[in-house]
Amino acid sequence: MILAEKFVSFQGEGPCMGQRCAFIRLSRCNLRCGWCDTPETWDWTRFKAAEVSSKVPIAELVSWVLERDVDMVVLTGGEPMLQQDAMAAIARGLPGVRVQVETNGTMTPIPELMSLIDLWVVSPKLANSGMSYATRIKPVALKALVETSRAAFKFVVSDLDSELDEVAKLVDDNGLAPVWVMPEGSTREEVLTGMAELVGPVGERGWNISFRLHILAGAR
């Protein structure tokens, strides 16, 4: 497995927010979001791959998780779905540990992963990512994730006037549910301001709202 980093913290976003868990961040990504907060997983114009990633045996990662005394592991990225066979091997090695995957929703899971993953947290990218619709939205992959009945869909917004309508269209066109919305922001002030603005409009649409707990708490 090509690893970027691993650590233990609290899940900062989405339906499992606040839960202590182990994070395994995989290197590499198939998208190029202009605001990406983990460019070290893919931007080789700014980083050297050999310095910010390494090949790690699956057995070593499984042992590391088991030694952390956690009941949930999050496979994130980058885009972890680029390494689906390795993801399946990790999940098989962790019976009794819930496995959550954070993905951009552009890749269809291989059959084995359908039964091994406890929760898919899917974050389709909006136009604010700077990429074309055809690049960032893959209806076939989204449909497959919806059909697992174990997926939640999370959107990051910064412009309420345009982006909530954009989210609504993606939700309606692809049958996405349940939905979480959270504010863009890298500081406590930005997150709190965004939360205050989102509460009303998000609630009116019947969606859920998410903090960015790791930023508010000063955690990873």
Side-chain angles (χ1 to χ4, degrees), residues 29-116:
C29 191
N30 63 326
L31 297 184
R32 301 291 182 264
C33 298
W35 40 253
C36 179
D37 59 1
T38 55
E40 69 277 8
T41 62
W42 60 268
D43 189 349
W44 310 137
T45 65
R46 297 164 58 188
F47 301 91
K48 294 182 179 179
E51 295 178 356
V52 294
S53 64
S54 58
K55 290 185 178 180
V56 179
I58 299 297
E60 180 179 319
L61 289 173
V62 168
S63 295
W64 176 82
V65 173
L66 294 175
E67 291 167 0
R68 303 282 84 78
D69 189 30
V70 296
D71 64 4
M72 184 170 76
V73 61
V74 179
L75 304 179
T76 186
E79 177 47 62
M81 294 286 281
L82 292 170
Q83 303 184 58
Q84 294 195 52
D85 289 336
M87 291 169 60
I90 285 180
R92 287 196 305 269
L94 295 171
V97 177
R98 291 172 296 142
V99 181
Q100 176 180 318
V101 172
E102 296 183 337
T103 176
N104 58 37
T106 62
M107 302 181 69
T108 302
I110 60 176
E112 185 177 16
L113 276 181
M114 295 288 196
S115 60
L116 288 171

Side-chain angles (χ1 to χ4, degrees), residues 90-156:
I90 285 180
R92 287 196 305 269
L94 295 171
V97 177
R98 291 172 296 142
V99 181
Q100 176 180 318
V101 172
E102 296 183 337
T103 176
N104 58 37
T106 62
M107 302 181 69
T108 302
I110 60 176
E112 185 177 16
L113 276 181
M114 295 288 196
S115 60
L116 288 171
I117 303 306
D118 295 284
L119 178 65
W120 303 87
V121 179
V122 187
S123 299
K125 305 311 175 191
L126 302 178
N128 62 24
S129 65
M131 291 175 294
S132 70
Y133 184 93
T135 298
R136 57 189 169 81
I137 303 298
K138 303 293 183 181
V140 171
L142 291 174
K143 182 175 185 291
L145 290 162
V146 169
E147 290 177 348
T148 67
S149 298
R150 295 187 304 279
F153 297 86
K154 182 180 69 179
F155 296 88
V156 180

Side-chain angles (χ1 to χ4, degrees), residues 139 154 171 180 184 187 198 220:
K154 182 180 69 179
V171 167
W180 267 260
E184 184 180 2
T187 67
L198 282 173
R220 295 193 66 173

Side-chain angles (χ1 to χ4, degrees), residues 9-10 188 212-220:
S9 186
F10 297 95
R188 296 179 70 182
R212 307 194 79 180
L213 184 62
H214 52 300
I215 292 176
L216 295 180
R220 295 193 66 173

